[in-house]
DNA sequence: CGGAACGGAGAACGATCGTTCTCCGGCGCT
DNA sequence: AGCGCCGGAGAACGATCGTTCTCCGTTCCG
C-alpha cells in the first residue's frame, strides 16, 4: 500500500489511511492528532505541513471515503447484467460491508452526528455524499424502466440508509437482507420483475458477468486491509 | 415546566432538560458540564451532587429521551382506529418531528456515532432503544393480520430508520413522505389494504379517535418547548 | 443573638488536545 | 573537512474540559 508517487504523496496517503481507520473506529474527536501521527509513522511537524489543521484532515478523510465507498459500490453493482439485478446487488454489497468485523455504520452519518451541528463543512460533506448515492440509485432505477423512477429511488435509498444505521447499532448484517427483500417488493409493485431466479440473495455475489466494463472506477478504492471479497471499502 | 416534586427532583429535571437540548443540538463531547450548569441554572456543586459524572448525565439523558420519544410516538399512533392506520401514522408523526426547527436526527444514533465506539453503555442504550421501537412496530404489524408480520416489521423499521437519517442530513421532512409511501406499498404487497381513502397523508394528524386509551403513557413526555401539535419530543 | 450547616459562585487543578517550537543528528555541497 | 539546511523526535504552550475545592452569604435552630 501507498507505493509510488513522491514522498509527500506517500506520506499524505499514509496519514489519511491512518486517520480514516482511527476516525471511523473511534470518532473524530476521540482521536488526537498524536494518535494519527504515530499510526501513520510521520513526525508531528510533517503532519502539520501536510494538513495545517485537524479540520483539513477530517475533510480529506471524508473526501477520500466518499470516492472509495461509491467506487466500490458501483464496481460491485455494475458487474450485474440487468438494471434490476444491479439495484438488488447494492443490498448484497451492503451485506458484505456490514459483515466486516470493523463495520461501524456510515462514516458520513457518524461525522454528521458528531460534528455536523458545529461544522458546516462536515454537514455539507455528508449531504453531498448522500446526494451522490441517491443520484446513483436514481440512475439504476431509471434504467429498470419503472413507471415513476424518482419516488422509487427515494424509497430504495431510504431502505439502504435504514439498513446501514440498523446494522451499525445491532451489529448484525441481517438488515441488508431485509432491505433487499423490501426493495424486491417495491420493484415488483412498480412493475419491475425479475426473469426467473432472483439472483444470489442468500450469499454475497453471483458469478455472473463481472468486469462488465461500465464501472467508472473513479478512485483507487484503497487496498488498505484488503479483504478477500470485492472490498466494500467500509464507507 | 419542571413544577412539583422535591427541590432535588426539580433540579434534576432542569438539568436533564438542559442537557437534552444541548447534547442533542451540538453533540455530547461538544458540550461542557459548565454549559449544562449555566443552561440549567444550578451550581456546579449541585450538578455533581445530582450526577457524579458526565457519563451518568448522558445515560440519564438517553433514558429520558427513550421514554419520552416512544411515548409520544405511541400516543400519536394509537389514536388511530385501525392497525394499518396506526402503522402509517408512525410516518406522519415522523414528518412532524422532522419539520421541527431543531430536528437533528435520532439522538441515539448520534450518540452511538459519537460515543458508541468507546462507551458500551451508550452503545447498549442505542441498541435497546432501536429494539424497543422495532418491537412496537412488530406489534402494530402483527395486528394488521399480515401473513408474515415479522419480516414486514423489519422492513418498515428500516424505512423509518432511513427516513430519520436522511431527514437529518438533508434537513428536509420529505423522507417521511417517501417512507410512508413505501410502507403503504409494502403493506399492500403483504395483503394489508386500506378501506377507501388512506387517511391523512398530506398533513399531520387526522381528527379521528384521539384518547383511544391504549397509549402506555410511560413517561411525562416532558413539556419543555411544548410545540403546538402532538409533540414528537424530538428523540 | 450566635453559630453551624448549607448552597451558590466561581477559582483551581490535573488531564488532554491542537498546535508550535526547540533541539539535534544526518546529508549534501564546496 | 567544514558548513548549512532539512527532517525527526518530542518538549512546550495555550486552551478547554471534567472534576474538586475554597470562599462567602444565608438561613435555620437553640
Amino acid at each position: 500500500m501507498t507505493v509510488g508517487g513522491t514522498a509527500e504523496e506517500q506520506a499524505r496517503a499514509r496519514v489519511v489511511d491512518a486517520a480514516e481507520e482511527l476516525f471511523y473506529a473511534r470518532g473524530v474527536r476521540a482521536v488526537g492528532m498524536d494518535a494519527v501521527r504515530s499510526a501513520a509513522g510521520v513526525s508531528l511537524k510533517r503532519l502539520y505541513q501536510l494538513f495545517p489543521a485537524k479540520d483539513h484532515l477530517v475533510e480529506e478523510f471524508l473526501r477520500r471515503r466518499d470516492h472509495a465507498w461509491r467506487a466500490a459500490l458501483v464496481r460491485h453493482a455494475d458487474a450485474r447484467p440487468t438494471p434490476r439485478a444491479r439495484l438488488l446487488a447494492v443490498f448484497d454489497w451492503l451485506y458484505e460491508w456490514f459483515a466486516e468485523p470493523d463495520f461501524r455504520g456510515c462514516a458520513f452519518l457518524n461525522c454528521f452526528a458528531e460534528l455536523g451541528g458545529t461544522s458546516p463543512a462536515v454537514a455539507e460533506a455528508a449531504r453531498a455524499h448522500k446526494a451522490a448515492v441517491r443520484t446513483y440509485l436514481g440512475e439504476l432505477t431509471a434504467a429498470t424502466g419503472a413507471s415513476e423512477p424518482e419516488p422509487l429511488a427515494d424509497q430504495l435509498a431510504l431502505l439502504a440508509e435504514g439498513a446501514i444505521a440498523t446494522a451499525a447499532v445491532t451489529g448484525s448484517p441481517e438488515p441488508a437482507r431485509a432491505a433487499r427483500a423490501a426493495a424486491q417488493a417495491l420493484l415488483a409493485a412498480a412493475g419491475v420483475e425479475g426473469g426467473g431466479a432472483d439472483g444470489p440473495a442468500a450469499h454475497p455475489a453471483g458469478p455472473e458477468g463481472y468486469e462488465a466494463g461500465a464501472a467508472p472506477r473513479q478512485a483507487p478504492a484503497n487496498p488498505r486491509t484488503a479483504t478477500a471479497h470485492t472490498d466494500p471499502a467500509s464507507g
Side-chain angles (χ1 to χ4, degrees), chain A residues 9 21-22 24 28 30 38-39 62 71 77-78 88 128 130 132-133 145 155 176 185 193 196 207 210-211 220:
Chain A
E9 283 166 349
E21 223 169 286
L22 291 170
Y24 180 66
V28 171
S38 56
L62 291 177
D78 283 11
L88 292 178
K130 295 302 180 191
V133 173
Q155 300 175 10
E193 303 278 355
Y210 266 77
E211 308 303 309

Side-chain angles (χ1 to χ4, degrees), chain A residues 97-127:
Chain A
W97 179 33
F98 298 168
E100 291 185 5
D102 53 359
F103 169 73
R104 222 180 69 83
C106 171
F108 296 87
L109 223 48
N110 291 353
C111 280
F112 179 84
E114 194 175 354
L115 309 167
T118 47
S119 161
V122 167
E124 171 56 22
R127 203 201 53 71

Side-chain angles (χ1 to χ4, degrees), chain A residues 131-213:
Chain A
V133 173
R134 168 52 248 264
T135 297
Y136 177 60
L137 289 181
E139 293 167 5
L140 290 187
T141 308
T144 62
S147 51
E148 289 202 273
E150 288 304 311
L152 180 56
D154 280 336
Q155 300 175 10
L156 296 176
L158 291 186
L159 285 172
E161 206 65 62
I164 295 172
T166 304
V169 302
T170 63
S172 157
E174 281 310 311
R177 294 277 157 75
R180 195 193 137 110
Q184 222 169 291
L186 292 177
L187 284 169
V192 182
E193 303 278 355
D198 266 330
H203 274 300
E208 55 200 300
Y210 266 77
E211 308 303 309

Side-chain angles (χ1 to χ4, degrees), chain A residues 76-77 80 82-94 140 156 176 179-185 187 194 198-200:
Chain A
H76 186 97
R80 303 306 179 90
T82 71
R84 178 173 179 279
R86 283 198 274 277
L87 265 177
L88 292 178
V90 168
F91 297 94
D92 294 332
W93 182 76
L94 287 180
L140 290 187
L156 296 176
R180 195 193 137 110
Q184 222 169 291
L187 284 169
D198 266 330

